Amino acid sequence: MFLILLTNALFALTYIVAEYTLHFTSPLTLLMYRMLFSGIILIGIQFFLDKTKLKIKKSDYSSFFLTIFLHMSINFLCETYALQKISGLMVSLFYLLAPIFSAVIDRVVKKNMLSKTQMITVVLGLISSLLMIFINKNVSSHVSGANETGLASLWPYFLLLLSIWSSTLGWYRVKDLMESGYSLVTINGYASLFSGFLFFVMRIL
């Protein structure tokens, strides 16, 4: 739970920058460069710290690929496309829902009972998310004069919620890999690098 909160808080600082950058480039181009550069840097750091930790066991290949798609690819793809319609500040606020999704996953997947505090957090989080959608939708329509109505106006929020779900599920995979002896730098490095190549292929298709 703490790792999810900390990481999402750090990533929240990049949303406003990404929103600004999208005025000058496409989502796939931004994602490609962002993932490739961060992947190269992280793998480079791990290489100099302890290159033996860069080796992946064959038995963990499937876990790494699942982590790549959940933790980086789907997460950042949905988030970046949502940023075209939703402000970076609103995206940051929505990521506060990650611990709520984590509590739900604990209950459904790991069969852990929710405490009263977690239940109250889930309810308050759902109410606040609906309020954020309503407020942002009205502000956007006044500022930009947007003509999208009904479900068409809600697709960025669906993408954003999918991004948060993917990020939260991805963190469970990351934690499993860390318990298997892999460093967080190695995991994020490979996830970023392979996601960058994936976005490069998607960009040229």
Side-chain angles (χ1 to χ4, degrees):
M1 182 76 75
F2 173 75
L3 285 175
I4 295 173
L5 267 174
L6 178 61
T7 302
N8 286 325
L10 292 174
F11 274 125
L13 299 176
T14 69
Y15 300 143
I16 296 176
V17 176
E19 180 189 10
Y20 177 77
T21 307
L22 285 171
H23 288 94
F24 307 100
T25 187
S26 68
L28 285 177
T29 300
L30 173 62
L31 286 168
M32 179 187 71
Y33 285 115
R34 182 180 181 182
M35 294 293 104
L36 286 176
F37 280 129
S38 60
I40 292 170
I41 290 171
L42 288 171
I43 290 176
I45 290 173
Q46 186 60 66
F47 180 83
F48 285 108
L49 290 177
D50 185 358
K51 62 182 180 181
T52 60
K53 290 189 176 182
L54 288 173
K55 187 176 180 180
I56 303 175
K57 301 174 185 175
K58 288 186 178 180
S59 58
D60 293 327
Y61 282 175
S62 59
S63 293
F64 261 92
F65 279 116
L66 186 58
T67 302
I68 288 168
F69 284 112
L70 288 174
H71 183 52
M72 288 289 179
S73 301
I74 297 174
N75 172 21
F76 282 96
L77 185 65
C78 292
E79 170 205 295
T80 304
Y81 273 95
L83 271 172
Q84 292 183 302
K85 296 290 184 179
I86 304 175
S87 69
L89 176 60
M90 189 60 63
V91 172
S92 299
L93 291 173
F94 259 86
Y95 261 83
L96 295 176
L97 295 174
I100 299 173
F101 291 157
S102 178
V104 174
I105 292 171
D106 273 340
R107 178 66 184 95
V108 176
V109 179
K110 298 198 172 185
K111 307 299 182 183
N112 294 331
M113 292 297 295
L114 296 181
S115 64
K116 289 183 179 179
T117 302
Q118 287 177 315
M119 292 176 68
I120 293 172
T121 302
V122 169
V123 173
L124 291 178
L126 291 174
I127 294 173
S128 62
S129 64
L130 291 174
L131 287 174
M132 285 189 287
I133 291 175
F134 177 76
I135 293 171
N136 190 61
K137 207 174 134 186
N138 283 318
V139 170
S140 297
S141 63
H142 281 298
V143 173
S144 62
N147 294 319
E148 289 183 337
T149 57
L151 290 177
S153 65
L154 295 176
W155 70 264
Y157 301 99
F158 291 134
L159 283 178
L160 187 53
L161 290 174
L162 178 57
S163 171
I164 299 170
W165 266 113
S166 177
S167 173
T168 306
L169 288 170
W171 257 112
Y172 278 92
R173 303 305 308 168
V174 169
K175 288 169 64 178
D176 288 342
L177 287 172
M178 290 176 67
E179 290 173 1
S180 297
Y182 296 100
S183 73
L184 184 60
V185 176
T186 296
I187 298 167
N188 283 334
Y190 281 127
S192 297
L193 191 62
F194 280 99
S195 293
F197 281 119
L198 175 62
F199 296 137
F200 169 74
V201 172
M202 293 173 65
R203 181 171 174 267
I204 63 177
L205 288 179

